[in-house]
């Protein structure tokens, strides 16, 4: 049951991502940018034709195929019963949702719609799907480094 809930979560995140990008296309594209907090946080419309930070620009099909393969692997891992525990399953679902959201953009539009701009640190413009992939990956790495060993130790104590 947990793998199906994880996939449902991924689908919900994809839906939220696509709604936000549709809003950005309709509302931000005509005006370019809208300051939420002047010189700190702006909503800025950007068409990202590359990967993170615009790397690999012009490599649309390579990005599509590599992303699709990674996402298929994630789906097989989730459905294959290889993941034990709610937390790692949740992190994979969040990564999957973000990855699918950006893959839809690459296939359907030919670019990824970005719209969140942290001007205060002059960071690249990003989107909700990027947040999902980044936070999901960071949480999974933390769990692999710290949480998993604690769970294994707790399991051995209860034996």
């Amino acid at each position: 049951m947990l793998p199906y809930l994880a996939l449902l979560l991924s689908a919900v995140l994809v839906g939220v991502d696509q709604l936000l990008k549709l809003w950005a296309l309709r509302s931000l594209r005509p005006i370019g940018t809208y300051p939420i907090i002047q010189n700190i946080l702006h909503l800025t419309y950007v068409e990202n034709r590359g990967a993170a930070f615009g790397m690999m620009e012009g490599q649309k099909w390579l990005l599509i195929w590599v992303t699709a393969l990674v996402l298929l692997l994630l789906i097989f891992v989730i459905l294959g019963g290889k993941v034990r525990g709610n937390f790692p399953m949740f992190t994979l679902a969040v990564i999957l949702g973000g990855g699918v959201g950006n893959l839809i953009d690459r296939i359907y539009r030919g670019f990824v719609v970005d719209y969140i701009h942290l001007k205060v640190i002059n960071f690249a413009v990003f989107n909700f799907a990027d947040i999902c992939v980044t936070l999901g990956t960071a949480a999974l790495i933390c769990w692999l480094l710290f949480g998993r060993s604690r769970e294994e130790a707790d399991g051995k104590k209860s034996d």
Side-chain angles (χ1 to χ4, degrees):
M1 183 67 166
L2 185 59
Y4 299 107
L5 290 175
L7 293 180
L8 178 62
L9 171 62
S10 295
V12 168
L13 293 174
V14 169
V16 169
D17 174 66
Q18 290 300 302
L19 286 173
L20 287 169
K21 289 173 178 172
L22 185 62
W23 172 83
L25 282 161
R26 290 185 178 165
S27 300
L28 287 177
R29 183 168 32 182
I31 63 171
T33 191
Y34 180 81
I36 300 294
I37 303 170
Q38 189 65 40
N39 295 321
I40 295 175
L41 174 64
H42 288 215
L43 297 176
T44 303
Y45 179 81
V46 172
E47 295 177 358
N48 183 352
R49 298 179 189 280
F53 309 108
M55 294 184 303
M56 298 179 66
E57 189 170 341
Q59 300 295 319
K60 174 185 166 185
W61 290 107
L62 177 63
L63 291 169
I64 286 172
W65 285 110
V66 169
T67 303
L69 288 173
V70 169
L71 296 176
L72 283 173
L73 178 64
L74 277 178
I75 292 169
F76 285 126
V77 167
I78 289 170
L79 292 176
K82 303 290 183 194
V83 182
R84 291 190 173 86
N86 294 346
F87 190 78
M89 184 70 76
F90 170 77
T91 61
L92 292 176
V94 172
I95 294 166
L96 179 63
V100 169
N102 281 341
L103 183 61
I104 289 170
D105 275 19
R106 283 192 204 292
I107 292 170
Y108 179 68
R109 294 184 180 93
F111 56 87
V112 174
V113 175
D114 289 332
Y115 50 86
I116 302 169
H117 190 190
L118 293 174
K119 289 188 79 144
V120 69
I121 57 173
N122 197 25
F123 194 72
V125 181
F126 56 96
N127 61 46
F128 179 76
D130 297 335
I131 293 169
C132 290
V133 171
T134 302
L135 292 181
T137 302
L140 182 61
I141 289 169
C142 288
W143 179 80
L144 288 170
L145 292 175
F146 307 111
R148 186 171 67 163
S149 60
R150 187 177 311 141
E151 284 179 11
E152 290 170 354
D154 290 344
K156 289 178 185 177
K157 289 178 187 176
S158 65
D159 289 341

